[in-house]
Amino acid sequence: LAKTTQPISMDSYEGQEVNITCSHNNIATNDYITWYQQFPSQGPRFIIQGYKTKVTNEVASLFIPADRKSSTLSLPRVSLSDTAVYYCLVVSYSSASKIIFGSGTRLSIRP
Amino acid sequence: DTAVSQTPKYLVTQMGNDKSIKCEQNLGHDTMYWYKQDSKKFLKIMFSYNNKELIINETVPNRFSPKSPDKAHLNLHINSLELGDSAVYFCASSQTWEGGPTDTQYFGPGTRLTVL
């Protein structure tokens, strides 16, 4: 299973765009890139998933370059409520039941 | 309606006791999981069940025994509790275990277990 590396923490301010980059150099052909968000005292919550290029939903965008060895989660115009831990995962299509959470990126948003 | 629910939310107990945590999902999913999140916030999968059958057991001590009476429930029983078992335990479910876009995992609110 591909291992992911992401910054331990990031700080930003309300209204800014935040980009969190994740490295997954050993990603395999069957692997999808998935991001989860975890607020304090809650379980992780799915944000977005992609295979290549760009994916956008109502919460975030996910940019994946052609080599797929990294990905960037983009949160537009963050607010205080976006303060959370963000996990980047690589999930294999054939064995999703064994997903591995890394240490995540602790994002702190300030007024 | 809560999609994935766990009880209890908090559990404080003495070393050596036996305790259970219950999990239920009303999403109609086939696959359920138990995760442990330690004090450093690392989230590690412990077990995965698909249609009541165990498909993953991640080198968890025998003191931990999951039980799935039906595919909507996955309970976790822990014997002879130890200090190191203190953590937050999350239950999750997904539509299948095959991966891809259909297998988003939905997590419960967690059970904070404290062993004294």
Side-chain angles (χ1 to χ4, degrees), chain A residues 9-62:
Chain A
S9 64
M10 293 180 68
D11 295 325
S12 188
Y13 294 91
E14 283 191 291
Q16 299 295 306
E17 178 184 80
V18 172
N19 296 311
I20 306 175
T21 298
C22 179
S23 297
H24 25 80
N25 291 320
N26 297 325
I27 192 167
T29 304
N30 282 348
D31 291 341
Y32 282 77
I33 299 150
T34 307
W35 286 79
Y36 281 79
Q37 173 192 55
Q38 186 178 23
F39 296 114
S41 302
Q42 293 186 27
R45 182 177 73 114
F46 172 85
I47 301 177
I48 198 166
Q49 183 180 66
Y51 185 81
K52 61 181 178 181
T53 63
K54 177 183 174 182
V55 179
T56 297
N57 62 21
E58 65 278 5
V59 176
S61 294
L62 179 60

Side-chain angles (χ1 to χ4, degrees), chain A residues 96-111:
Chain A
S97 53
K98 192 174 177 178
I99 68 174
I100 298 175
F101 283 79
S103 55
T105 297
R106 184 172 300 275
L107 176 64
S108 298
I109 305 300
R110 302 175 181 179

Side-chain angles (χ1 to χ4, degrees), chain A residues 32 36 38 41-46 49 87 91-103 106, chain B residues 9 33 35 37 41-43 45 48 55-56 58 90 97-101 103-105 107-109 112:
Chain A
Y32 282 77
Y36 281 79
Q38 186 178 23
S41 302
Q42 293 186 27
R45 182 177 73 114
F46 172 85
Q49 183 180 66
Y87 294 97
V91 181
S92 171
Y93 200 100
S94 59
S95 61
S97 53
K98 192 174 177 178
I99 68 174
I100 298 175
F101 283 79
S103 55
R106 184 172 300 275
Chain B
K9 188 168 177 60
Y33 313 79
Y35 287 83
Q37 188 167 44
K41 304 300 183 184
F42 284 101
L43 196 61
I45 191 166
S48 176
I55 55 174
I56 285 181
E58 283 295 308
F90 288 100
W97 60 281
E98 294 173 351
D103 276 338
T104 299
Q105 296 202 4
F107 284 79
R112 182 174 294 276

